Amino acid sequence: MAVSVRVTVPATTANLGAGCDCAGLALALYNKVTLTVAGEGLRITVKGEGEKNIPRDEGNLVYQAARRVWNTTGFPVPAGIQITLENAIPVGAGLGSSAAAIIGGMLAANAAGGAKLSLQEVLDLAAALEGHPDNVAAALYGGAVVAVIEGERVLTLRFPVAAELRAVVAVPAFSLPTAQSRRVLPLSYVREEVLFNVARAALLAGALACRRYDLLRVAMQDRLYQPYRAPLVPGLNEVLAAALKAGACGVALSGAGPAVVALTTHDAAAVGDAMGAAFGAAGVQARVLILQPDAAGARVEQF
């Protein structure tokens, strides 16, 4: 008998400035993974974002994530697997497309295999595959999160987000693979840079927990990642400044970029217009998305 599972996974924005590799926020923009165990062989269909370049063989990240779950639980890898991906999250933009693939594949495989893993165990596997916990934790649980890897376990705090908060995301018309964005980072930092970020990361967690969004202007400042990635994103510094001038509470490069995310509680359209104009002045075409935070995280339905 065929078994089908559909998983809806939100986009995520990670780092939020100072929270390098540990802070994330789920956004109301979704990928859907439908996994059906039936027939023979592997068949993958991709619709929407990434449909021209996402692998349709065993190199597909959703399939790899599913296999990781089955191998961990001892569930035999099915002889016949059909995977349909309906993607609204831009690929290579810094909005958690890889995290969505990993969480979608793992939750689908877990449900199809009898739900042997808890959400914590899924998160631990997902963070190991992704390499850092921020995006996968936010995608799984929704809301704003801070997460760290301790041994083989991910420790997570989740904060609900006020209804009036909006994420204004300017997405340039080019992709920036995370591996390329990480290669420009230095191997070591001076003490002042580290202390600058440590203080602001602490303030960021407090601001999210207490919903003190007025503190985000300072809490989302970063000296560890953004200065070194700025040459990869033409106009980045001007876009950051434009968002703040237009009234954003805080602004930062979204994950590894090239998207830029501003958080605001009012006049999101004006903030978006300012960010789009700043990118345009730098010769970069960018689309602007105004998104609500996602509060629910990944959702599974079996049919």
Side-chain angles (χ1 to χ4, degrees):
M1 180 180 296
V3 175
S4 293
V5 179
R6 179 177 293 117
V7 183
T8 301
V9 191
T12 50
T13 179
N15 298 338
L16 300 178
C20 297
D21 291 346
C22 68
L25 174 68
L27 304 174
L29 183 69
Y30 302 96
N31 282 2
K32 294 183 179 180
V33 174
T34 302
L35 184 150
T36 300
V37 176
E40 296 287 336
L42 173 64
R43 188 173 71 201
I44 299 176
T45 303
V46 183
K47 304 174 183 178
E49 297 284 346
E51 63 183 3
K52 294 182 179 179
N53 49 33
I54 288 178
R56 289 165 169 80
D57 55 18
E58 292 188 358
N60 182 277
L61 187 55
V62 172
Y63 174 76
Q64 293 178 354
R67 283 197 64 128
R68 183 75 64 99
V69 166
W70 289 328
N71 290 338
T72 298
T73 60
F75 185 81
V77 176
I81 303 169
Q82 300 172 20
I83 297 174
T84 299
L85 308 179
E86 301 170 78
N87 295 339
I89 304 172
V91 177
L95 290 172
S97 61
S98 63
I102 291 170
I103 292 296
M106 287 190 171
L107 287 178
N110 192 45
K116 297 179 180 180
L117 297 181
S118 66
L119 290 183
Q120 177 66 53
E121 289 169 325
V122 169
L123 177 59
D124 294 341
L125 278 180
L129 182 56
E130 175 84 326
H132 46 90
D134 44 7
N135 290 102
V136 289
L140 182 62
Y141 293 132
V145 302
V146 291
V148 299
I149 298 177
E150 175 67 16
E152 296 182 354
R153 184 176 175 84
V154 178
L155 305 179
T156 308
L157 283 175
R158 178 187 180 278
F159 309 117
V161 178
E164 67 269 20
L165 191 69
R166 294 292 180 271
V168 184
V169 186
V171 185
F174 64 90
S175 62
L176 181 57
T178 300
Q180 178 184 353
S181 192
R182 285 190 177 274
R183 280 197 296 270
V184 301
L185 300 178
L187 296 178
S188 61
Y189 294 92
V190 299
R191 178 187 301 172
E192 289 76 11
E193 291 174 333
V194 174
L195 294 178
F196 181 95
N197 264 60
V198 167
R200 282 154 182 77
L203 184 64
L204 175 64
L208 293 173
C210 299
R211 301 187 186 185
R212 285 288 308 276
Y213 303 132
D214 58 301
L215 299 176
L216 291 178
R217 185 184 187 99
V218 173
M220 291 177 67
Q221 294 172 349
D222 169 46
R223 287 187 181 174
L224 298 186
Y225 283 3
Q226 283 180 185
Y228 303 97
R229 289 170 169 168
L232 302 178
V233 185
L236 174 61
N237 291 327
E238 291 75 15
V239 174
L240 298 174
L244 293 174
K245 185 177 180 180
C249 298
V251 61
L253 192 66
S254 182
V260 177
V261 60
L263 300 182
T264 187
T265 55
H266 66 282
D267 212 353
V271 173
D273 289 344
M275 294 169 72
F279 263 131
V284 177
Q285 287 187 327
R287 53 176 162 157
V288 175
L289 306 174
I290 298 176
L291 303 172
Q292 290 181 298
D294 172 272
R299 301 178 285 281
V300 180
E301 55 180 314
Q302 191 162 346
F303 52 95

